Amino acid sequence: MEARFLGIAELAETPSVAVVVDVMRAFTVAAWAFGRGAEKIVLAESQAAALALKTRHPDWVALKDGPPAPGFDTVNSPGLLRSLDLGGRTVVQKTTAGTVGALAVKEASLVLCAGFVVAGATARLLRQRGCDAVTFVVTGEEGRAEEDLACAQYIARRTGGGGTDAAPFLRRAARSRAAAELTEGVRQGAHPDDVALCLELDRFPFAMVASPEDSLMVLRPCAVPAPGDEASP
């Protein structure tokens, strides 16, 4: 598989297949939302757009980066989200990097959103779809976020097949600027467990596929059984 690793601003053209990576914390949060029962996640272009959707659909759950704010139900923290019951709910998500990256490649034929918590399922789906060329969108720090790059490179290696030791990639992410800022309380709207939750490898058995639905970019889980887990005929 041919893999490219680009920041959002480096996307000169729409790729055919894109994996948008935001480890700390957008797509770890998205995975947890599905884990807590959410049906779908609408990726909003702005906070104003998220609030407008919330106004039209009061039962939707709106979340954002940073501290709590009027109109939003919660913030972009897996540690805080994991206690919510989201059974059957729609979540509206707006973040600084992750949602921006997904919207930047919304015209791609296949858009996956990923972090370490869904790395294995993401790699399996890329193999199942026979993806020969994949653009990994490294969303944080203008494409230089070490945690996102490490995760993207790990998924690329794992997609190629064979054994891949996750430990070096997880260590890189644990030493990243984002991890330090979360640990030190620099970033608002965080929980003490956020870093550990973001580095929990393969916590969920699904990949996350984003596609246009009624003019919105919508993220949904896609179950991808591990080898040996497929149901018997």
Side-chain angles (χ1 to χ4, degrees):
M1 182 190 75
E2 177 187 349
R4 296 191 304 164
F5 305 91
L6 301 176
I8 297 170
E10 297 171 319
L11 292 164
E13 58 186 21
T14 300
S16 176
V17 178
V19 177
V20 187
V21 182
D22 190 328
V23 173
M24 296 184 186
R25 294 163 283 169
F27 298 138
T28 300
V29 166
W32 269 98
F34 291 130
R36 297 299 299 158
E39 177 185 353
K40 64 183 180 182
I41 297 174
V42 176
L43 305 176
E45 294 183 354
S46 65
Q47 290 190 21
L51 290 175
L53 287 167
K54 173 70 175 179
T55 298
R56 293 203 299 271
H57 307 277
D59 58 322
W60 288 11
V61 178
L63 67 86
K64 60 176 281 293
D65 273 338
F72 287 89
D73 301 286
T74 187
V75 294
N76 193 47
S77 162
L80 296 172
L81 195 76
R82 64 182 171 176
S83 63
L84 300 182
D85 180 2
L86 299 175
R89 305 286 294 277
T90 293
V91 173
V92 181
Q93 185 180 35
K94 170 65 181 88
T95 70
T96 306
T99 59
V100 175
L103 291 168
V105 293
K106 63 182 180 181
E107 303 298 331
S109 60
L110 176 63
V111 179
L112 304 180
C113 296
F116 281 110
V117 291
V118 293
T122 302
R124 291 195 299 274
L125 184 58
L126 290 171
R127 286 199 302 273
Q128 287 181 8
R129 298 285 181 94
C131 299
D132 297 324
V134 178
T135 296
F136 290 87
V137 183
V138 180
T139 60
E141 299 177 32
E142 299 181 348
R144 303 297 179 264
E146 187 65 14
E147 73 282 2
D148 294 341
L149 183 58
C151 183
Q153 291 172 341
Y154 174 70
I155 294 172
R157 292 271 191 92
R158 199 159 167 181
T159 302
T164 301
D165 184 5
F169 300 92
L170 292 168
R171 283 196 295 269
R172 287 168 55 193
R175 293 194 297 262
S176 68
R177 174 181 174 182
E181 289 180 351
L182 286 169
T183 300
E184 295 165 7
V186 174
R187 299 192 182 189
Q188 294 181 293
H191 185 280
D193 293 341
D194 278 356
V195 172
L197 291 172
C198 290
L199 299 180
E200 191 174 8
L201 185 67
D202 297 340
R203 174 65 177 79
F204 300 103
F206 50 78
M208 299 188 294
V209 181
S211 58
E213 296 184 21
D214 298 325
S215 79
L216 299 173
M217 193 65 168
V218 176
L219 189 63
R220 293 182 183 272
C222 177
V224 190
D229 290 346
E230 291 85 353
S232 299

